[in-house]
Amino acid sequence: MIFIMHQLMGTAGIGFLVAFLAASLLEMLRAIRWQYLEYAWYQIFAYRPYFPVQIVTGFYFGWLLARRLGHRAMIWVWVLPALFLFYAVVAIPTLTPEITSPLLWSGTNQSWLTHYFGWGCRMKDRCFDQVLTTQPFYTATAYSIGARLAFISGASRQASRDVP
């Protein structure tokens, strides 16, 4: 049960948290009439294929929760998203063929590497494969690395008590 909780937090939870915080911050900036280009805002939070904000957030919460909770299961959160990403890369040209142009499918006009890890599949083109597969893998991996570093540094209170 602890593993499932961390699996949900390390994958979907981080993605939703970043989206909620980004939207809230954008609304606060609009309330004070700060003239900021929304296009640039979305470039930072949503349209980057490397998801830097989500990765940093996943790393931070992995480290923080490992320090507080000390659950060793946190270091294995990356495995299920990695398996799902591997399956998607090998077996599925695109996860959402109904709404994605065939020109953006993996294996047609672009490689699987570009489609799942580069600029080939972007949300603004209605291609959600990276958001559904790559981004959860990145955040779960960062979450696990953050937890592992908390355990290595001895910052976890209960690390010796909780065995995987």
Side-chain angles (χ1 to χ4, degrees):
M1 193 61 156
I2 289 174
F3 176 75
I4 293 170
M5 175 189 69
H6 286 294
Q7 188 70 60
L8 291 173
M9 285 191 308
T11 54
I14 298 296
F16 287 129
L17 177 67
V18 168
F20 174 74
L21 292 176
S24 299
L25 187 58
L26 185 59
E27 286 300 316
M28 287 188 332
L29 293 175
R30 283 185 188 144
I32 61 171
R33 299 185 196 285
W34 187 44
Q35 299 299 319
Y36 192 83
L37 297 173
E38 285 191 37
Y39 175 77
W41 184 264
Y42 289 111
Q43 285 293 325
I44 294 169
F45 285 97
Y47 294 150
R48 292 273 170 233
Y50 312 112
F51 304 99
V53 177
Q54 290 87 342
I55 290 171
V56 170
T57 305
F59 179 83
Y60 174 72
F61 276 98
W63 180 78
L64 180 71
L65 292 175
R67 279 186 51 218
R68 303 260 188 233
L69 303 174
H71 297 149
R72 290 273 183 191
M74 295 174 70
I75 61 175
W76 299 106
V77 166
W78 66 273
V79 173
L80 291 179
L83 291 173
F84 183 68
L85 177 62
F86 177 75
Y87 176 75
V89 166
V90 170
I92 306 171
T94 187
L95 293 173
T96 55
E98 302 83 23
I99 60 174
T100 305
S101 168
L103 296 174
L104 299 175
W105 291 6
S106 175
T108 54
N109 289 332
Q110 59 181 295
S111 71
W112 62 268
L113 191 62
T114 303
H115 184 78
Y116 283 100
F117 298 100
W119 295 96
C121 176
R122 297 181 297 176
M123 285 181 17
K124 73 178 190 175
D125 297 327
R126 295 184 349 181
C127 183
F128 300 100
D129 294 0
Q130 286 187 7
V131 173
L132 296 173
T133 59
T134 311
Q135 186 259 326
F137 169 70
Y138 286 161
T139 57
T141 303
Y143 185 84
S144 295
I145 291 170
R148 182 71 178 142
L149 289 177
F151 291 130
I152 289 172
S153 69
S156 174
R157 289 187 211 161
Q158 300 174 5
S160 61
R161 195 178 80 192
D162 187 23
V163 180

